[in-house]
Amino acid sequence: MLSEPMTEIAHPTRDEIELSAVLHALSDPVRLTMVRYLAVAPEERSCRSFDVPVTKSTCTHHFKVLREAGVIHQRQEGTARLNTLREEDLDARFPGLLATILEAAAEPQLTART
Amino acid sequence: MLSEPMTEIAHPTRDEIELSAVLHALSDPVRLTMVRYLAVAPEERSCRSFDVPVTKSTCTHHFKVLREAGVIHQRQEGTARLNTLREEDLDARFPGLLATILEAAAEPQLTART
């Protein structure tokens, strides 16, 4: 038996991505910070590789919200979940939205949030 | 005594408007619908003038969330609160954000939401 455990991680299809869910997912400063990291990441990132002030379980929760909203894709590899931003899907669904939010997030005031 | 009751409605200044609050405010389909109405309104609109499937008190609550996020401006006139979109402030604070979200909201799938 080939071992590919937990590969059935549910993701909305491109067409199922909803604006309200995306905006809600990105309205949390920690989740937005994670997305900003992913936006500049050259490769898949695991939860623990993020410099955010939250516990691992909170981090896992935030990634779940992002995944269910269609903002990120998650892939299981051993015990780690590797995350990538669904930039192409988001841009096809809501042109310019992610880029505009990332640009807005680059404003100085966000860095003061905890 | 001149009567100008309840004119002290609190609004964040332009610089106090936070991205997370704006995204949260717009992540609710009803609030986003209200904002879409305001975006095309030639003048101030009262709560009751909106065609949204919510009670007056829920409408009032939604407008409060929008006002506290800096998305709308509210002005008391008699018993009514008149609402306008803070387009100029939002665009100065987060260039292109409101326009991009309004454009994304014009996608067909949103109309099916209740």
Side-chain angles (χ1 to χ4, degrees):
Chain A
M1 185 158 54
L2 291 173
S3 66
E4 285 213 25
M6 297 178 65
T7 47
E8 303 302 322
I9 304 175
H11 292 85
T13 64
R14 179 183 287 188
D15 285 349
E16 285 169 350
I17 299 176
E18 291 192 12
L19 179 61
S20 55
V22 172
L23 295 180
H24 169 71
L26 298 179
S27 71
D28 181 277
V30 170
R31 286 196 292 268
L32 188 54
T33 299
M34 291 163 157
V35 168
R36 292 174 67 189
Y37 276 116
L38 286 174
V40 295
E43 54 195 24
E44 295 167 303
R45 297 280 298 266
S46 70
C47 209
R48 73 189 64 180
S49 75
F50 287 85
D51 182 23
V52 286
V54 293
T55 62
K56 185 173 183 308
S57 71
T58 303
C59 190
T60 302
H61 164 74
H62 282 317
F63 273 121
K64 181 169 181 280
V65 174
L66 289 168
R67 169 172 54 80
E68 291 179 345
V71 176
I72 65 166
H73 183 271
Q74 290 194 300
R75 186 174 68 82
Q76 192 77 24
E77 190 168 283
T79 59
R81 287 207 168 177
L82 298 178
N83 306 282
T84 45
L85 200 53
R86 293 180 65 179
E87 278 186 277
E88 203 177 312
D89 288 331
L90 288 169
D91 211 51
R93 189 83 177 90
F94 306 117
L97 183 69
L98 181 65
T100 310
I101 291 175
L102 287 174
E103 215 166 286
E107 290 287 307
Q109 98 285 358
L110 250 194
T111 59
R113 300 291 299 262
T114 52
Chain B
M1 186 157 54
L2 293 174
S3 68
E4 286 213 23
M6 298 178 65
T7 47
E8 304 300 323
I9 303 176
H11 293 84
T13 64
R14 177 183 289 186
D15 286 349
E16 285 169 350
I17 298 176
E18 290 191 13
L19 179 61
S20 55
V22 172
L23 295 180
H24 170 72
L26 299 178
S27 72
D28 182 277
V30 171
R31 285 197 293 268
L32 188 55
T33 300
M34 292 165 158
V35 167
R36 292 174 67 187
Y37 276 117
L38 287 174
V40 295
E43 54 195 20
E44 295 166 305
R45 297 281 297 268
S46 71
C47 208
R48 73 188 65 179
S49 75
F50 287 84
D51 182 24
V52 286
V54 293
T55 62
K56 186 174 182 307
S57 71
T58 303
C59 190
T60 303
H61 164 75
H62 282 318
F63 273 122
K64 182 170 180 280
V65 174
L66 289 169
R67 170 173 53 80
E68 290 179 346
V71 175
I72 65 165
H73 184 270
Q74 291 194 300
R75 184 174 70 81
Q76 192 77 24
E77 190 167 282
T79 58
R81 287 206 170 178
L82 299 178
N83 306 282
T84 46
L85 199 53
R86 293 179 65 178
E87 279 187 275
E88 203 176 312
D89 287 333
L90 287 169
D91 211 51
R93 190 83 177 93
F94 306 118
L97 182 69
L98 182 65
T100 309
I101 291 175
L102 288 174
E103 215 166 284
E107 291 285 308
Q109 96 285 357
L110 252 194
T111 60
R113 300 293 298 261
T114 53

